[in-house]
Amino acid sequence: MSAQSIKDDIFPCTGGLNLVTPIVNQRPGTVQACYNWEPTPTSDGYREIEGYERYDGRQLASLAADPVAQRALITVVPGSGPVRGVWVFDDKVYAFRDNALATACVMHQATATGWSEVDLGATIAFTAGTSAFLVGETLLGGTSNADATITRIEVTSGDWSTSNAAGTLWINDITGTFQAETVTSIGGGSATASGAQSAFSRAPGGTYRFVNANFYADAPAAAMYGVCGLDQAFAFDGTIYEPISTGATDDTPDFIASHKLRLFLGFSEGFVSFSEPGVPTGTFDALAGAGEFGIGNWLTNMAPIQGDVLGIYGERVIYLLYGSGPTDFELKPHSFNTGALTDTLQTLNDQLFLDFEGIRSLQTTDAFGDFASNTLSISVNPWLAFYRSYLIGSLVCREKNQYRLYFSDPAEAGVTIALTMGLGGEYPNFLPQRFPAALVCFANGTIAGEEWLLAGGSDGYVYRVDSGNSFDGAALPSMIRLSWVHEGTPGVRKRFREVRYETKATANRDMTFAYELNYADSHFAPTAADTLEFKPDGGIWGVDRWGSMTWGGFPRSRFKLTGSGTNIALILSGSRSDTPPVEINAVRLRYEPRRRY
């Protein structure tokens, strides 16, 4: 065969998993099957995922000189059962887990020495206040000899100047039990305690959801607000814990949002309570501007939308709340056929969510109506239809422009399956992942200006996601199989000669390469797997430094092919525990057309 008859084709690795388009019509560079790869941030290639690793505030194992020893130091959140919730506030990580006897849910903070229980504190009522206390002072019981640190002072009647101030002292770091007695402070404060302090605690169980917000004019007044479905909502500013009352008989909200300087608390049964403006704590007061409304459907998610609108989602409805308060609030139905499944609502550029027909964006719903063909996930809807009933939760990774859904694996206990949607290209790209850990809750936050993705496990560990190159020290396997390529002539047999992957790598890496011909027809001998070497990008003369790159290197890996068929499928697989991910951006394929098959 002459050199002129050898054809050279190159196609981009983009499009992601496609389970809908007939095989013969699939574009080269799309994916038939894979695990533990993800779309690149600009959707111009596929990249092996990063790993995850346990975290308790100590140095991450992947950053330590001795990762094995460091990993052994990092502990579970103290207590029993799964992690109930994990969150980032003020550059700190917090986790909630039931205590050892499962009689209460305990809040913990990740510190340089591991998990530390957060003192929720207590309140003590006082009367006959003759001299004012100061925040930060030590409170002393005149008879009981109990002591505590004062964190807040709330005077509800009287005045210190007239020796009849009455109200509540908020305290923590408590030693002993106060009683009806005179209480004083080192700074000269004095009042009469009405009795023993009333300690705060939280009911065991539940699923925690959070929001960070600042309802006040002061910059330091931000706090985290949380709900769990089995207890009252709460606020925590890093020092002071405060329960929040809506006034409902069963005051155990499930969902939470901050909007228009009001705190919105949602109940699964379908009604929503909101606070008066600028006063998210205490008891919601209707006379001061608090209120409530219902949606007539099971509530599943709430979040503000660009344009000063609050999105309120049920399983089969979407409502949009316009206005700024009870006098002009207008709850408009947006859809009675589309909703959002619980804990799937995330905001990237638009609001993204999973419903019974697939993944949607609110913008898509608004523009095209309530039709399954208008979902973002048509190419993977069969995959979602299978896993939907095993849904756990969702995350966004803003740095990578990704929306992720997590599911428990029905085939294997202790395994979590994920589907990542990359939004960096013209169309969404989907790729699945598989993690050997039962993840139960998720959070996205920022620490020291860096995006952190966190997950809580059923084993009591908190994990940092997209961290390290292993599954918490275990090997991280991966596989990607590209769609069948027939070069536009599905009926012509071809002699395939060479494949080249256009790649990006930051370290030398060997992966296993294999290929199949003619739809893996049994009449064609299967090819043996072989090693394909990936190398870092080559250096640039006068720019890069000696000893820090591969001189004259090219970001591609090639393999000589043997065999003929009407089409070819390319397969890469590997396993790693300390090597950075490999990225493939395009494939160059050399072949000779032969005869019609």
Side-chain angles (χ1 to χ4, degrees), residues 284-369:
F284 289 5
D285 184 355
L287 296 177
E292 65 180 27
F293 55 85
I295 65 169
N297 196 270
W298 291 103
L299 186 67
T300 59
N301 301 265
M302 296 191 302
I305 307 170
Q306 293 179 358
D308 293 333
V309 178
L310 181 66
I312 302 166
Y313 294 76
E315 283 190 341
R316 289 288 188 182
V317 298
I318 300 175
Y319 280 90
L320 303 179
L321 182 67
Y322 296 84
S324 57
T327 58
D328 68 345
F329 271 158
E330 184 177 7
L331 188 65
K332 292 185 177 182
H334 180 75
S335 170
F336 288 114
N337 296 310
T338 298
L341 299 184
T342 301
D343 291 333
T344 65
L345 181 64
Q346 297 286 347
T347 302
L348 205 49
N349 294 320
D350 302 314
Q351 287 196 338
L352 303 165
F353 55 92
L354 176 68
D355 70 0
F356 289 103
E357 281 72 47
I359 298 173
R360 296 179 183 266
S361 74
L362 187 61
Q363 193 174 58
T364 298
T365 302
D366 182 54
F368 301 109

Side-chain angles (χ1 to χ4, degrees), residues 78-149:
S80 63
V83 176
R84 299 289 179 182
V86 59
W87 194 242
V88 179
F89 168 67
D90 194 25
D91 285 352
K92 301 177 182 67
V93 175
Y94 294 92
F96 290 74
R97 193 183 187 202
D98 292 351
N99 62 16
L101 298 178
T103 56
C105 189
V106 180
M107 182 181 185
H108 300 267
Q109 179 187 331
T111 74
T113 56
W115 293 109
S116 175
E117 182 177 338
V118 175
D119 181 5
L120 301 186
T123 57
I124 184 167
F126 70 89
T127 59
T130 60
S131 183
F133 298 102
L134 297 176
V135 171
E137 288 186 314
T138 298
L139 184 70
L140 303 170
T143 303
S144 66
N145 291 321
D147 65 79
T149 300

Side-chain angles (χ1 to χ4, degrees), residues 440-452:
V440 294
C441 57
F442 308 91
N444 176 299
T446 301
I447 297 178
E450 182 183 1
E451 185 176 34
W452 276 57

Side-chain angles (χ1 to χ4, degrees), residues 185-205:
S185 69
I186 295 175
S190 181
T192 299
S194 301
Q197 71 268 19
S198 177
F200 293 124
S201 65
R202 295 199 59 79

Side-chain angles (χ1 to χ4, degrees), residues 391-467:
L391 177 68
I392 303 169
S394 63
L395 266 179
V396 289
C397 180
R398 293 177 174 82
E399 181 180 308
K400 296 181 178 179
N401 213 4
Q402 293 175 351
Y403 170 76
R404 304 175 184 178
L405 292 168
Y406 294 88
F407 308 82
S408 58
D409 186 351
E412 186 174 355
V415 171
T416 301
I417 304 295
L419 183 68
T420 295
M421 177 173 72
L423 291 165
E426 184 178 0
Y427 302 103
N429 279 211
F430 295 88
L431 291 177
Q433 297 80 40
R434 186 177 188 275
F435 308 113
L439 307 179
V440 294
C441 57
F442 308 91
N444 176 299
T446 301
I447 297 178
E450 182 183 1
E451 185 176 34
W452 276 57
L453 306 182
L454 295 163
S458 64
D459 55 5
Y461 280 105
V462 167
Y463 298 98
R464 185 178 181 188
V465 181
D466 287 6
S467 183

Side-chain angles (χ1 to χ4, degrees), residues 218-244:
D218 297 334
M224 59 182 279
Y225 298 82
V227 296
C228 73
L230 294 176
D231 206 338
Q232 288 185 317
F234 70 90
F236 180 72
D237 66 2
T239 303
I240 301 171
Y241 169 92
E242 183 175 359
I244 299 170

